[in-house]
Amino acid sequence: MALLTRDNTPPDAGGDNENRKGKGKGGGGGRTPKARRADRGPARLGLPTLLVLVAFVTVAPFAVMVLVAFAPHSGKTLPGAFDIGRATLANFQEVLGSSDILRWALNSTIYSVVSVVFILLFASMAGYAFAKKRFPGREIMFWSFLATLMVPFQATLIPYYILISEMGGVDTYWGMIVPTLANSQAVFLMRQFITQLPDELFEAAKIDGASEWRIYTTIVLPLIRPIMATLGVFVFLWHWNDFLWPLVIAQSGDMHTLTVGLATLDGENVTINQVMAGATITVVPCLLVFGLLQRYLTDSIATTGLKS
């Protein structure tokens, strides 16, 4: 057998080497980048398509609600509601004129806004104490308080009602608001956010002789505005859409919130168009609050996980 030298190497040996190199580097069996991008096309279209479907499923009920609210009185709601040319404000006028919806809206506003203010105040104070203060039993106290998240509100509904009833808080604003102020989830979020703040700021303030109240008002509060805005949106939505506790504690019609009032409308001789008009009215404050605090909400998401 003759040995192969540089001069008598088979002509296809170099080609085989090139093919092997191409397979090793490209990982696609010598296929062009254009072909590989074409194969990834369906995968790239899959995620946007899924997001569009999720958005449609989320927005469709609200769109139908608004269309039915503006539709004229008739025996059909769909597909007659899609006739935009027949849209009317009569349903809104009848709801606002024939029901106590303005009173219910005032009750919902007081219940939501006052709860937001006090929950943010108490949660920020407790979060600062759990994050930056050192005292005996801090971890036990924090995790014991956090363990209440695992207890459903329905399990504590009757004890809450008995306590508030014994204190004379039935059918009052304070009886509706006070039991919701101890929000362990809000304390947890505040504590986690304040933990990320650099300790050097607090040490420098203490060296300058700043009191704890001044440290809280001049250092903590300005730095936690993003998380306060985010938490404020969530707490407002929780209370604005709350149904069970206002239904139990507010027994008279004058103390009903919008959610409870709309449930009573559904049981009266009211058309579905008017019920949807009332539901549309309840959505407007939520959109306004989210629009006003959207900038702080995005800032909070952008800075989450960053530590100076």
Side-chain angles (χ1 to χ4, degrees), residues 210-233:
S211 61
E212 291 293 343
W213 178 253
R214 185 165 184 178
I215 293 175
Y216 170 75
T217 56
T218 60
I219 296 179
V220 177
L221 288 182
L223 292 177
I224 64 173
R225 280 184 298 178
I227 190 62
M228 289 188 72
T230 303
L231 189 59
V233 172

Side-chain angles (χ1 to χ4, degrees), residues 9-21:
T9 301
D12 58 343
D16 292 340
N17 291 334
E18 293 296 330
N19 290 337
R20 286 193 294 269
K21 291 180 181 178

Side-chain angles (χ1 to χ4, degrees), residues 78-105:
L78 293 176
F82 291 103
D83 188 1
I84 302 179
R86 300 178 58 194
T88 178
L89 295 175
N91 299 317
F92 294 91
Q93 294 173 354
E94 293 176 2
V95 169
L96 293 175
S98 62
S99 64
D100 297 328
I101 192 168
L102 295 180
R103 174 69 181 182
W104 300 338

Side-chain angles (χ1 to χ4, degrees), residues 11-305:
D12 58 343
D16 292 340
N17 291 334
E18 293 296 330
N19 290 337
R20 286 193 294 269
K21 291 180 181 178
K23 291 180 181 179
K25 293 181 180 179
R31 299 165 63 190
T32 62
K34 184 176 181 180
R36 290 195 295 269
R37 286 196 300 269
D39 290 344
R40 289 198 299 266
R44 291 182 176 179
L45 292 177
L47 182 59
T49 303
L50 179 62
L51 293 178
V52 170
L53 291 176
V54 172
F56 176 79
V57 173
T58 304
V59 175
F62 295 95
V64 173
M65 176 187 69
V66 175
L67 290 175
V68 174
F70 283 98
H73 290 242
S74 62
K76 298 180 180 179
T77 54
L78 293 176
F82 291 103
D83 188 1
I84 302 179
R86 300 178 58 194
T88 178
L89 295 175
N91 299 317
F92 294 91
Q93 294 173 354
E94 293 176 2
V95 169
L96 293 175
S98 62
S99 64
D100 297 328
I101 192 168
L102 295 180
R103 174 69 181 182
W104 300 338
L106 177 63
N107 295 337
S108 293
T109 302
I110 295 175
Y111 176 50
S112 302
V113 173
V114 175
S115 298
V116 167
V117 172
F118 281 99
I119 287 177
L120 292 182
L121 177 63
F122 296 153
S124 59
M125 289 181 175
Y128 168 59
F130 283 127
K132 297 300 181 181
K133 307 305 294 181
R134 300 291 184 269
F135 53 89
R138 184 188 66 168
E139 295 299 325
I140 297 177
M141 186 183 300
F142 173 72
W143 291 108
S144 299
F145 185 64
L146 194 62
T148 58
L149 283 173
M150 296 182 289
V151 181
F153 178 75
Q154 291 79 2
T156 59
L157 181 64
I158 295 177
Y160 271 139
Y161 179 79
I162 293 175
L163 289 175
I164 297 300
S165 177
E166 292 294 331
M167 297 171 63
V170 178
D171 253 0
T172 61
Y173 287 119
W174 72 264
M176 190 186 306
I177 294 171
V178 168
T180 66
L181 298 184
N183 193 314
S184 54
Q185 187 174 1
V187 174
F188 173 74
L189 292 176
M190 285 289 185
R191 186 251 189 188
Q192 295 303 108
F193 191 89
I194 296 175
T195 301
Q196 300 178 6
L197 301 180
D199 296 332
E200 291 77 7
L201 291 175
F202 303 96
E203 294 174 358
K206 292 178 181 178
I207 292 174
D208 291 340
S211 61
E212 291 293 343
W213 178 253
R214 185 165 184 178
I215 293 175
Y216 170 75
T217 56
T218 60
I219 296 179
V220 177
L221 288 182
L223 292 177
I224 64 173
R225 280 184 298 178
I227 190 62
M228 289 188 72
T230 303
L231 189 59
V233 172
F234 292 150
V235 172
F236 181 86
L237 294 179
W238 293 337
H239 287 77
W240 186 266
N241 297 320
D242 193 10
F243 177 79
L244 184 57
W245 178 243
L247 174 66
V248 172
I249 202 66
Q251 300 179 354
S252 64
D254 291 337
M255 288 299 298
H256 283 170
T257 58
L258 272 173
T259 53
V260 179
L262 287 178
T264 60
L265 276 183
D266 195 16
E268 298 177 2
N269 188 17
V270 178
T271 63
I272 186 63
N273 304 87
Q274 295 176 5
V275 175
M276 292 297 102
T280 303
I281 294 174
T282 62
V283 174
V284 174
C286 300
L287 296 178
L288 292 177
V289 170
F290 181 80
L292 292 174
L293 300 178
Q294 183 181 11
R295 179 171 65 87
Y296 296 101
L297 181 62
T298 54
D299 290 345
S300 174
I301 297 174
T303 56
T304 300

